[in-house]
Amino acid sequence: MLFLLAAKGMLRNLFRSVLTLLGVAIAILAFTFLRTTIEAWYAGVDAASQDRLATRHKVSITLPMPRAYFEKVKDRVTGITAVTYANWVGAVDPKDERAFFANFAVDGETYFETYDEVVIPPGQLAEWRTDPTGCIVGEALAGQKGWKVGDRITLRGTIYPGDLQLTVRGIYGTKRKTFDKSTLFFHWKYLNEIADASRKDQIGFLGIRVADASQGPAIARAVDELFANSDTETLTESERAFNLSFLSMFSTVLKALDVVSVVILCIMGLILANTIAMGVRERTHEYGVLRAIGFQPRHLALLVGGEGLVMGIAGGVVGVAASLVVVNAFGKWLEDNFGQFFPYYSMSTTSVFLGLGLAAIIGLVASLVPAWSAARLEVVQALRRL
Amino acid sequence: MADPIVELRAVEKTFTRGRQPVKVLDGLDLTVEAGSFEALMGPSGSGKSTLLNLIAGLDRPTAGTLRVAGEDLGRLSEGGLADWRARNIGFVFQAFNLIPVLTAAQNVELPLVLSPLSTAQRKQHVATALRIVGLADRMDHLPRQLSGGQEQRVAIARAIATDPKIIVADEPTGDLDRHSAEEILGLFAKLNDELGKTIFMVTHDPLAAERAKVVRRMDKGKLLVA
């Protein structure tokens, strides 16, 4: 009966209840959407290969290392099944300089053996290997730019001066959904040819595949010991840690998203509290009647709290359902256009339950003060209020 | 002579308005016999409703003792008082005070929710109460679908659903036309005569007071000698 009364109380002012419910739903939608965005950003980290290590300059990921390190690691470190190297190039499409996409100069012989989740038709891979100015592009990037195999494209250097004249020799897909499908790879040798003297024979990082993932930490130590006390010391870490250090460049943005999602929930909590308090004020006389016929203060607190809980859960269900629709519709577009940031944009089960749980908690917390006010009403005073 | 069901001794009630204490009840003594039907009359501000609230356990006296339905109300906690009201008191208000979103049957069932009765037993009590007030065919109607007289009859059904010892009524005919008022007063008389309910009614209406077996008058916080 109390539940019935709480439910009917909510429907009493249908317009206000619908607006409040929509408010909760939109807050939950915004929250789950932002959570999904953050999770998608970290998807590459979470899906990092267990048996791969990355070696970079000990001081910063942005500082280069000598290419000779590749040979030394390959020859001297045991327990390695593949090793490769690459450089972050940071070139842009002169036709649309603001449309960012990742591009790497990689070793043609070893890169795709180490990163074997990249799937390239064998014929295209062979073609690329024989073309010094050939490049491989992700299917999302190719679709976005309208590039096809055989197209000649020009990229303008930002870190490295000058233009890169490239020919598309292959289009890659991936075995893993979380791997970015909008990156461009071309030969490191080509980059090295056009680089000025200070940047020649330099690489950005080494990718190392180990035979036994449990030996990863020992192998990482062995690699770093090779270059200890040299001018360029290294830091070798798991691929997950490496990806994290790469993402740390965007940590302020991610933190801002986190804060915004919490602020949205707090604002909604306050609005909901105000709405429930309004309802309590309007029903003070009825609460007086209930108290008169024997209802205890705790019953009124339950009634008001129940109303807040029902409102929160209902808003949460609508919000999460709307999120699923929006994330599905928007996710594909994000993957195609911002694949380097969101290689796999999908709402996790954790986000669904987090959204629902937080909606229920907001409803309960928002009703705490109104419930307390209702519980401490003096019967005679309440009956006098109309 | 029947046993007393209400006994007030030297009861005082003082309110504070602003910083001024206002004595509303001034050393009141009152005995109401079980099974009586009493009307309390008096001008506005004489303390009638305050006295009714004390008898019904809605308020506490500033001084004096108050024994109703065998319980010293001064000894009960707030929660204990609420339980006591649920068991012993049936309320009838001037403005009916039905919950507008609940049907007649659901309104009558409300006080029974607090009892240990099963759902089936509650339904049975509701049906009986509505039959007594002559509204068995209106149980699924919402208050706004009923006339004023019918609403007050639902309120009376709610008041008797838990089979309380005392029914307190605050201006029960105040919002009703003459015909409906007669029906309600007839119902009170029936509850008193046939079911033996003690009825304590505050009213301004002399015609309503005429239906009571005992009429008391108050002025300036004191009961006048009949």
Side-chain angles (χ1 to χ4, degrees):
Chain A
M1 179 62 97
L2 273 181
F3 181 78
L4 177 76
L5 204 53
K8 290 203 169 185
M10 272 177 57
L11 299 176
R12 194 176 306 214
N13 192 327
L14 193 60
F15 184 62
R16 186 168 67 200
S17 295
V18 167
L19 286 182
T20 310
L21 189 143
L22 282 178
V24 176
I26 289 169
I28 294 299
L29 166 67
F31 175 79
T32 48
F33 188 70
L34 290 175
R35 292 289 325 160
T36 302
T37 304
I38 294 168
E39 281 177 8
W41 215 317
Y42 280 107
V45 174
D46 293 335
S49 178
Q50 299 291 314
D51 62 353
R52 230 165 20 214
L53 305 173
T55 300
R56 63 172 174 88
H57 194 292
K58 190 175 183 179
V59 175
S60 167
I61 194 171
T62 58
L63 295 175
M65 303 179 295
R67 183 189 171 280
Y69 281 20
F70 163 69
E71 308 290 354
K72 284 185 180 171
V73 169
K74 193 171 71 170
D75 296 342
R76 296 192 200 171
V77 180
T78 54
I80 289 175
T81 56
V83 60
T84 189
Y85 58 93
N87 273 36
W88 170 266
V89 182
V92 296
D93 179 357
K95 291 176 192 162
D96 186 5
E97 292 194 5
R98 299 175 79 175
F100 169 84
F101 62 91
N103 40 85
F104 290 94
V106 302
D107 177 40
E109 298 306 314
T110 57
Y111 191 83
F112 295 115
E113 283 167 11
T114 311
Y115 293 90
D116 59 0
E117 56 267 69
V118 179
V119 180
I120 309 166
Q124 292 181 4
L125 183 60
E127 280 277 308
W128 174 67
R129 279 181 170 151
T130 57
D131 180 358
T133 60
C135 67
I136 301 280
V137 297
E139 58 190 22
L141 180 64
Q144 190 188 330
K145 298 281 187 186
W147 291 339
K148 300 182 296 297
V149 173
D151 284 0
R152 292 186 65 79
I153 59 174
T154 301
L155 298 187
R156 181 167 299 153
T158 55
I159 302 169
Y160 297 86
D163 286 351
L164 295 162
Q165 304 293 338
L166 301 167
T167 306
V168 178
R169 290 298 176 197
I171 292 173
Y172 75 84
T174 62
K175 288 179 193 167
R176 268 198 346 232
K177 283 182 176 177
T178 49
F179 196 93
D180 173 23
K181 288 181 275 293
S182 52
T183 295
L184 181 147
F185 302 98
F186 65 96
H187 292 284
W188 179 86
K189 283 177 184 167
Y190 179 34
L191 181 74
N192 202 43
E193 276 174 22
I194 63 166
D196 57 35
S198 66
R199 293 180 187 273
K200 280 219 187 284
D201 296 323
Q202 302 286 310
I203 58 172
F205 65 92
L206 291 171
I208 301 167
R209 185 178 286 283
V210 298
D212 178 358
S214 68
Q215 293 301 309
I219 293 171
R221 277 196 301 278
V223 171
D224 291 340
E225 277 166 14
L226 264 185
F227 310 111
N229 302 315
S230 70
D231 286 348
T232 307
E233 293 192 311
T234 58
L235 175 67
T236 303
E237 53 199 352
S238 67
E239 186 171 281
R240 179 185 165 81
F242 178 75
N243 289 351
L244 266 177
S245 66
F246 184 75
L247 278 183
S248 69
M249 291 191 286
F250 304 101
S251 63
T252 310
V253 177
L254 296 177
K255 271 183 193 151
L257 287 181
D258 247 345
V259 169
V260 167
S261 65
V262 172
V263 166
I264 288 171
L265 290 184
C266 289
I267 292 172
M268 195 55 239
L270 291 174
I271 293 172
L272 183 58
N274 185 48
T275 308
I276 295 171
M278 243 189 310
V280 168
R281 277 197 297 277
E282 285 169 3
R283 272 172 261 162
T284 298
H285 186 78
E286 281 178 29
Y287 293 147
V289 174
L290 291 177
R291 290 280 284 118
I293 64 177
F295 280 78
Q296 301 277 1
R298 68 171 185 277
H299 292 127
L300 297 194
L302 270 175
L303 198 59
V304 177
E307 204 171 304
L309 185 65
V310 170
M311 184 66 84
I313 291 174
V317 168
V318 174
V320 166
S323 295
L324 286 169
V325 173
V326 170
V327 164
N328 276 341
F330 195 52
K332 179 77 176 75
W333 182 83
L334 275 178
E335 286 172 17
D336 290 346
N337 293 281
F338 297 94
Q340 63 278 10
F341 296 117
F342 309 109
Y344 182 55
Y345 197 87
S346 175
M347 204 158 129
S348 67
T349 314
T350 310
S351 286
V352 169
F353 285 106
L354 195 62
L356 289 175
L358 281 172
I361 290 170
I362 286 177
L364 263 184
V365 171
S367 61
L368 279 182
V369 173
W372 181 69
S373 307
R376 59 193 285 274
L377 280 174
E378 283 194 27
V379 189
V380 176
Q381 299 301 325
L383 283 171
R384 279 190 191 139
R385 263 204 247 170
L386 289 175
Chain B
M1 187 173 167
D3 292 334
I5 194 162
V6 177
E7 287 180 285
L8 277 72
R9 295 290 171 261
V11 165
E12 292 181 8
K13 181 69 184 177
T14 304
F15 292 113
T16 307
R17 291 211 180 105
R19 289 180 184 172
Q20 282 296 107
V22 179
K23 192 175 268 190
V24 182
L25 298 181
D26 188 6
L28 218 66
D29 291 320
L30 171 69
T31 303
V32 176
E33 289 174 12
S36 66
F37 180 1
E38 299 206 358
L40 180 62
M41 299 189 74
S44 296
S46 59
K48 305 185 298 294
S49 293
T50 303
L51 176 58
L52 188 85
N53 289 339
L54 291 180
I55 291 171
L58 295 178
D59 207 354
R60 294 172 185 275
T62 313
T65 58
L66 186 62
R67 196 171 181 82
V68 184
E71 194 79 54
D72 183 350
L73 301 191
R75 291 187 173 188
L76 294 177
S77 64
E78 201 56 41
L81 209 51
D83 282 340
W84 175 85
R85 286 197 299 270
R87 286 195 313 273
N88 295 287
I89 304 289
F91 286 92
V92 180
F93 303 93
Q94 177 174 350
F96 326 133
N97 288 346
L98 299 177
I99 306 295
V101 291
L102 299 182
T103 63
Q106 288 165 342
N107 265 290
V108 176
E109 193 182 351
L110 260 183
L112 295 169
V113 172
L114 304 166
S115 71
L117 296 176
S118 68
T119 307
Q121 287 171 318
R122 291 209 307 258
K123 301 285 177 211
Q124 204 175 352
H125 276 64
V126 170
T128 305
L130 281 171
R131 196 172 56 245
I132 289 171
V133 301
L135 285 177
D137 57 339
R138 294 281 192 277
M139 44 181 12
D140 294 327
H141 286 57
L142 290 169
R144 63 182 150 79
Q145 296 168 317
L146 300 170
S147 68
Q150 287 172 327
E151 279 195 78
Q152 193 61 301
R153 278 150 68 188
V154 173
I156 292 171
R158 180 178 66 188
I160 61 174
T162 54
D163 195 23
K165 294 188 176 80
I166 307 171
I167 293 171
V168 294
D170 194 356
E171 303 280 5
T173 58
D175 283 5
L176 298 177
D177 59 50
R178 193 69 255 160
H179 175 72
S180 300
E182 283 298 329
E183 278 182 358
I184 296 304
L185 292 168
L187 202 49
F188 278 147
K190 182 176 156 188
L191 292 173
N192 178 245
D193 290 338
E194 296 177 15
L195 301 176
K197 299 293 176 199
T198 304
I199 297 174
F200 195 84
M201 173 174 72
V202 164
T203 184
H204 273 105
D205 181 0
L207 291 172
E210 272 179 18
R211 302 293 290 266
K213 292 173 182 165
V214 177
V215 179
R216 298 181 192 269
R217 293 181 192 282
M218 270 190 90
D219 194 21
K220 294 175 184 168
K222 288 180 182 292
L223 281 167
L224 304 179
V225 179

